[in-house]
Amino acid sequence: MSDIIQLLPDHVANQIAAGEVVQRPASVVKELLENAIDAGAKNIHLILKDAGKTLIQVIDDGSGMSETDARLCFERHATSKIREAEDLFNLSTKGFRGEAMASIAAIAQIEMKTKLAPNELGTCIQIEGSKITNQELTSTPTGTNTAVKNLFFNIPARRNFLKSDAVETRHIIDEFQRVALVHFEVHFILNHNNSEIFNLPSGNLKQRIVNIFGHKTNERLIPINEDTDVLSLDGFIMKPEFSKKKRGEQFFFVNDRFIKSPYLHHAINAAFDGVIERGCHPGYFLYLRVPTNTIDINIHPTKTEVKFDNEKVLYEIIRAAVKHSLGQFNVVPSLDFTKDKNLETPYSYKNKPISEPRIQVDPNFNPFKTETSFNPFETDSPKTTTANNSSHSKSFDSSSSVPKKKNDWEVLYNGIESIANTEIDTQKLTPQLFETKETKLIKDTFQIQNKYILCNLNTGTFLVHQHLAHQRVLYENFLENITVKEASSQQLLFPISINYSQQEIHILKNIKMELESTGFMFDEITKENVIVTGIPTTISESQISMVFEQLIEDFQEDIQENSFSQLDMIAKSLSKTLAIKTGTRLTEPEQEALINDLFTCKEANISPFRKKIYSSISNKKLDVLFNLD
């Protein structure tokens, strides 16, 4: 039998390695930004086109590379960070394995210009599919300018698996923020399709957080500072009242590297236990620094998962530090059982002189004398029962508040006869969550676990998921109001201003026209605020913030991939946000209205997100269950 094992060509091996390193355009952005940081850059400019599918360009003013280094950086396992295996356990830089540039070059077209500070001319290298097509001297500023074009141009199958531009842009912005938050001494700029999204000048940590997430964030931050022999902890946590239903601003950095650690995240949640509502998530920006020999960062290709030598100790220190900060800044109410509340003096009375109380006595008061009685329904003036009226009774009789004439109080009841004779519509007005479109078709429903509705038809028994059913009803109603009917809007008496980050504002600007066609009205959308002047009639004023948050999250995720248009996506998002939740108790009329509305929908069996709404069992199957067939 002939030999069947052979060595793979370098370009094939690079493409296989690229599958671990380069999963999407955000992976390329992460590697190029980290290379610029390692080069000591103080100004980094990221330029994107078509969410990085067409162009990813990073321009930095770092140290640059020589002609030889510029060529070697595209070879596999070529690195300047490590020399021997022991160096892997004492790392303080970003990239160190020498796989990133070789993997990127295998699946893209790259043009790189770089120059060292002492040199007059730099080097320009052009690579296509791991092959160097051109190398020449060029005039370029000190630093490195790397342009990655047409990602996955030679692997169409991988390119087809990429998501929409909005989703890929969100992943890129996530990577950009993670690098920018930890290197706040560097000036970052992000441009996408000739539009500036971020311009982050150098400054301190708090300024960087505020520049990314908006000026409103400044008043929400609580500082943390803890220094021990095991770790050094700095950063900020968000005040409990600003916790969110969705995971928002949650960032862990270890030795200037973003990580994901569910175990340490649990320590934060444990510290906030009892302070925030159940189901809410706290925000935090925590920076840990541990000895490099106590952490292993080479257990995952993306280096976002790490392994600590003493996780339990870190857990307790982080939990205690967060609790201490919450108590130090009077966020958590404290109880002092040894303090006597009767001895506490209000601040407004603290410096006032103490005056002796005086007793006043009425010498003419007679407790045995009969008081003046008054009947407001008597036509005559009030009579007294004694001949000699005391001063007390005289003052009562002379009061201007006592009506002395019949007309004085009868004026209050003018027109009561006409109101009594008016025919009043005695139709019952009971608050309901649902309005039926037609006459009732189904009766005798029963709610199970405040989650399912059991109903009986001639053909069998149906078990309906109330949340999914209401989603379908609202979805079709929203689509009908948007497309067939003219969307109705209600003007707000006072405009509402809502604060968002620059990334969220960018999303709302992109869907502003679609939101206006659904009934929303905007006065202005600034860099950090959205001013709402009108809302659809189906939405209450208290639901505006919740609706926008869900819209932004759905737009960032893959929901628009399953939508025909932006309007369809908005209708789906609104239906998911406004539908009744699991655990809501419904009255019998509400249950019947929901079931009847559901079965008048065009697709009553599937929710807007392709989930099964109800399950049925025929009468014959019921008979079989009890051996009655």
Side-chain angles (χ1 to χ4, degrees):
M1 184 177 179
S2 60
D3 298 333
I4 59 175
I5 298 178
Q6 58 182 355
L7 293 175
L8 289 174
D10 289 341
H11 69 280
V12 177
N14 287 336
Q15 288 184 359
I16 296 174
E20 296 182 354
V21 179
V22 184
Q23 300 174 353
R24 56 191 348 139
S27 305
V28 177
V29 171
K30 175 179 180 293
E31 299 294 344
L32 295 182
L33 290 179
E34 290 182 347
N35 288 343
I37 295 295
D38 286 341
K42 296 301 180 184
N43 294 278
I44 299 177
H45 191 181
L46 173 60
I47 302 173
L48 304 172
K49 285 187 179 180
D50 301 329
K53 300 174 184 177
T54 303
L55 174 66
I56 301 173
Q57 186 174 8
V58 174
I59 306 172
D60 67 72
D61 60 352
S63 59
M65 290 182 286
S66 65
E67 182 178 358
T68 303
D69 288 345
R71 192 179 183 102
L72 272 177
C73 74
F74 292 102
E75 298 294 331
R76 293 188 66 196
H77 305 302
T79 178
S80 61
K81 313 296 173 55
I82 58 177
R83 291 289 183 268
E84 52 190 15
E86 285 74 13
D87 295 338
L88 289 172
F89 303 98
N90 191 21
L91 291 167
S92 58
T93 57
K94 306 289 185 181
F96 54 87
R97 295 183 298 184
E99 294 180 88
M101 296 305 294
S103 300
I104 296 171
I107 55 175
Q109 299 167 342
I110 297 181
E111 180 180 355
M112 185 177 72
K113 298 178 181 179
T114 182
K115 184 179 81 73
L116 294 172
N119 298 345
E120 295 183 0
L121 295 176
T123 304
C124 177
I125 294 181
Q126 295 178 347
I127 299 179
E128 185 173 330
S130 295
K131 296 180 181 179
I132 298 178
T133 58
N134 185 32
Q135 179 175 350
E136 59 184 4
L137 297 177
T138 186
S139 177
T140 184
T142 301
T144 304
N145 182 345
T146 306
V148 178
K149 306 175 183 178
N150 301 322
L151 195 65
F152 300 121
F153 80 101
N154 54 354
I155 312 179
R158 289 287 303 278
R159 190 178 180 89
N160 293 336
F161 273 96
L162 294 179
K163 303 296 183 181
S164 65
D165 286 357
V167 176
E168 296 300 338
T169 302
R170 179 181 66 85
H171 286 287
I172 291 176
I173 290 177
D174 287 345
E175 294 294 348
F176 177 84
Q177 289 178 349
R178 292 167 183 174
V179 176
L181 280 171
V182 74
H183 297 284
F184 41 84
E185 73 283 356
V186 180
H187 182 194
F188 287 92
I189 299 177
L190 170 58
N191 286 86
H192 183 217
N193 292 339
N194 300 322
S195 176
E196 185 178 274
I197 300 179
F198 288 103
N199 191 337
L200 310 175
S202 59
N204 56 35
L205 172 58
K206 193 170 188 179
Q207 291 172 340
R208 178 56 52 87
I209 294 174
V210 170
N211 287 334
I212 292 179
F213 297 101
H215 291 291
K216 293 285 186 178
T217 313
N218 187 31
E219 60 190 25
R220 305 175 181 178
L221 298 177
I222 301 174
I224 285 185
N225 193 334
E226 191 73 30
D227 194 5
T228 66
D229 296 336
V230 179
L231 67 85
S232 176
L233 176 63
D234 292 292
F236 298 90
I237 57 175
M238 304 282 277
K239 293 181 180 179
E241 59 263 32
F242 298 105
S243 59
K244 297 182 178 180
K245 294 290 184 181
K246 307 293 181 182
R247 296 180 184 269
E249 296 80 22
Q250 296 181 342
F251 295 90
F252 255 123
F253 299 94
V254 175
N255 294 354
D256 296 338
R257 185 188 302 275
F258 173 80
I259 67 165
K260 297 178 181 178
S261 176
Y263 186 68
L264 298 184
H265 172 74
H266 188 272
I268 305 294
N269 289 338
F272 276 89
D273 188 24
V275 182
I276 60 177
E277 296 181 10
R278 178 175 295 182
C280 292
H281 302 276
Y284 54 82
F285 306 86
L286 296 183
Y287 297 76
L288 285 71
R289 190 162 294 278
V290 299
T292 55
N293 58 354
T294 63
I295 183 175
D296 185 3
I297 60 177
N298 198 30
I299 63 173
H300 194 272
T302 61
K303 300 184 284 292
T304 55
E305 297 180 12
V306 298
K307 180 176 175 57
F308 296 98
D309 287 348
N310 45 5
E311 275 190 333
K312 292 184 178 180
V313 177
L314 299 181
Y315 181 98
E316 294 299 333
I317 293 177
I318 291 173
R319 185 173 66 89
V322 173
K323 273 196 170 186
H324 176 70
S325 291
L326 290 174
Q328 184 179 7
F329 289 89
N330 296 325
V331 175
V332 180
S334 58
L335 296 177
D336 189 355
F337 297 99
T338 62
K339 183 184 292 186
D340 188 358
K341 291 185 177 181
N342 296 324
L343 300 179
E344 293 183 358
T345 303
Y347 288 104
S348 58
Y349 291 92
K350 190 172 183 180
N351 298 321
K352 285 188 176 182
I354 301 176
S355 59
E356 184 178 354
R358 290 180 295 177
I359 302 175
Q360 294 180 350
V361 178
D362 184 5
N364 297 322
F365 176 71
N366 186 355
F368 302 100
K369 188 171 292 186
T370 307
E371 296 289 344
T372 302
S373 61
F374 170 68
N375 188 354
F377 299 100
E378 291 182 0
T379 57
D380 298 330
S381 58
K383 299 179 181 180
T384 56
T385 58
T386 59
N388 297 325
N389 293 333
S390 67
S391 61
H392 181 73
S393 60
K394 286 180 181 179
S395 63
F396 180 82
D397 290 338
S398 61
S399 175
S400 61
S401 62
V402 177
K404 298 183 179 180
K405 295 183 180 179
K406 179 179 178 181
N407 294 336
D408 290 341
W409 60 269
E410 278 189 340
V411 174
L412 301 175
Y413 300 94
N414 286 343
I416 194 66
E417 295 85 356
S418 60
I419 298 176
N421 296 328
T422 305
E423 292 185 2
I424 300 176
D425 186 6
T426 57
Q427 180 182 2
K428 265 192 174 181
L429 298 177
T430 56
Q432 293 184 355
L433 289 176
F434 317 100
E435 296 180 359
T436 55
K437 299 179 182 177
E438 300 178 358
T439 57
K440 293 185 178 180
L441 304 174
I442 298 176
K443 294 184 178 180
D444 300 331
T445 58
F446 182 77
Q447 191 176 22
I448 302 175
Q449 299 177 353
N450 292 341
K451 184 177 182 180
Y452 302 100
I453 298 176
L454 187 69
C455 59
N456 187 29
L457 295 178
N458 294 332
T459 57
T461 303
F462 286 76
L463 190 63
V464 182
H465 194 289
Q466 65 183 35
H467 176 64
L468 299 180
H470 200 203
Q471 278 187 9
R472 167 53 63 178
V473 173
L474 291 177
Y475 171 68
E476 295 199 2
N477 287 341
F478 280 125
L479 277 186
E480 184 180 2
N481 292 333
I482 294 172
T483 57
V484 180
K485 303 178 182 179
E486 185 177 354
S488 56
S489 178
Q490 54 181 340
Q491 192 80 13
L492 296 177
L493 183 60
F494 300 102
I496 296 178
S497 178
I498 310 175
N499 177 259
Y500 292 107
S501 65
Q502 295 185 30
Q503 177 189 357
E504 294 169 338
I505 290 292
H506 181 71
I507 293 174
L508 290 177
K509 283 184 177 179
N510 290 337
I511 60 175
K512 179 184 176 182
M513 292 182 61
E514 287 78 6
L515 288 175
E516 290 175 342
S517 64
T518 61
F520 285 99
M521 298 174 64
F522 302 96
D523 181 24
E524 187 181 6
I525 298 182
T526 63
K527 289 186 176 181
E528 294 185 357
N529 293 293
V530 175
I531 301 177
V532 184
T533 58
I535 57 177
T537 55
T538 53
I539 297 176
S540 64
E541 189 173 334
S542 61
Q543 295 174 319
I544 298 176
S545 179
M546 178 179 62
V547 167
F548 279 170
E549 286 181 6
Q550 187 65 54
L551 269 172
I552 292 172
E553 182 183 356
D554 289 340
F555 191 85
Q556 290 174 335
E557 298 296 336
D558 297 340
I559 180 175
Q560 65 268 25
E561 294 291 318
N562 301 321
S563 302
F564 299 105
S565 64
Q566 298 281 22
L567 292 176
D568 184 61
M569 182 269 290
I570 292 174
K572 287 181 178 178
S573 181
L574 292 176
S575 65
K576 180 170 66 174
T577 306
L578 302 176
I580 56 172
K581 308 304 180 191
T582 298
T584 303
R585 180 66 180 172
L586 303 180
T587 63
E588 289 188 7
E590 289 171 347
Q591 299 172 27
E592 295 169 4
L594 175 59
I595 298 301
N596 290 320
D597 286 346
L598 173 65
F599 286 108
T600 57
C601 292
K602 295 180 180 178
E603 295 186 39
N605 57 334
I606 299 177
S607 75
F609 302 96
R610 316 305 298 175
K611 293 183 179 179
K612 188 177 181 180
I613 294 179
Y614 64 82
S615 180
S616 62
I617 180 169
S618 64
N619 293 331
K620 291 184 178 180
K621 289 185 178 179
L622 285 174
D623 293 338
V624 171
L625 290 176
F626 295 94
N627 298 324
L628 299 177
D629 191 7

